[in-house]
């Protein structure tokens, strides 16, 4: 689910989002603000919230099955509860990264730059998810 979402968002949506930001806003701080306080909370996380549980449940139990629908609802609740703390982590990580991006990285390298840091971000998300799972099991 993460791979499909990442490919669609990073490979597809970010290209158009960054082109829009770079063409619409002259100030790097305006681009940063729009990216982090508009696109991330209003586009990225809602898409992630709906897409990830649906894909994961479908792969685990077969798309369209009753088990998949039940699992999708469980995953949706689980993912939704993690959005607020994840958004705070997002801002701690991505605000400095995108400050550098919008101030110093050429526009044509924006997607590549964020994809490279996306690997680190995914490691942070995996670590925080694993830490939460370990706490529940203890």
């Amino acid at each position: 689910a993460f791979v499909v979402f990442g490919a669609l968002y990073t490979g597809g949506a970010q290209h158009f989002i960054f082109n829009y930001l770079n063409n619409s806003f002259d100030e790097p701080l305006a681009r940063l603000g729009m990216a982090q306080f508009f696109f991330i909370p209003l586009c990225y996380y809602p898409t992630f919230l709906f897409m990830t549980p649906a894909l994961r449940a479908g792969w685990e139990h077969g798309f369209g099955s009753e088990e998949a629908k039940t699992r999708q609802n469980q995953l949706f609740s689980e993912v939704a509860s993690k959005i607020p703390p994840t958004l705070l982590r997002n801002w701690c990580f991505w605000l400095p990264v995108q400050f550098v991006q919008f101030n110093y990285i050429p526009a044509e390298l924006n997607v590549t730059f964020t994809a490279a840091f996306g690997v680190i971000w995914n490691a942070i998300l995996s670590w925080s998810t694993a830490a939460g799972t370990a706490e529940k099991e203890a």
Side-chain angles (χ1 to χ4, degrees):
F2 281 119
V3 172
V4 172
F5 178 78
L8 292 174
Y9 182 77
T10 302
Q14 279 188 337
H15 169 78
F16 297 105
I17 290 169
F18 292 148
N19 278 344
Y20 169 76
L21 293 174
N22 288 319
N23 292 328
S24 300
F25 300 96
D26 293 329
E27 288 296 315
L29 287 178
R31 293 191 295 263
L32 175 64
M34 285 295 293
Q36 285 300 314
F37 301 107
F38 178 77
F39 284 107
I40 294 300
L42 300 176
C43 297
Y44 176 85
Y45 280 117
T47 303
F48 179 83
L49 181 61
F50 289 107
M51 189 175 182
T52 302
L55 290 173
R56 201 166 141 200
W59 283 324
E60 288 175 1
H61 301 285
F63 290 96
S65 70
E66 285 303 315
E67 295 88 7
K69 291 175 186 174
T70 301
R71 181 68 175 138
Q72 182 178 349
N73 289 334
Q74 291 170 338
L75 290 169
F76 180 84
S77 296
E78 187 179 308
V79 170
S81 71
K82 293 178 183 177
I83 295 294
T86 303
L87 186 57
L88 291 176
R89 282 188 194 106
N90 174 85
W91 288 333
C92 290
F93 180 81
W94 284 106
L95 282 171
V97 169
Q98 288 198 309
F99 177 84
V100 171
Q101 171 191 343
F102 291 127
N103 278 286
Y104 304 110
I105 304 300
E108 62 272 7
L109 296 176
N110 280 182
V111 173
T112 305
F113 182 80
T114 55
F117 279 91
V119 172
I120 298 167
W121 175 242
N122 284 334
I124 291 168
L125 288 178
S126 296
W127 170 78
S128 64
T129 301
T133 302
E135 288 172 7
K136 286 180 185 176
E137 291 174 358

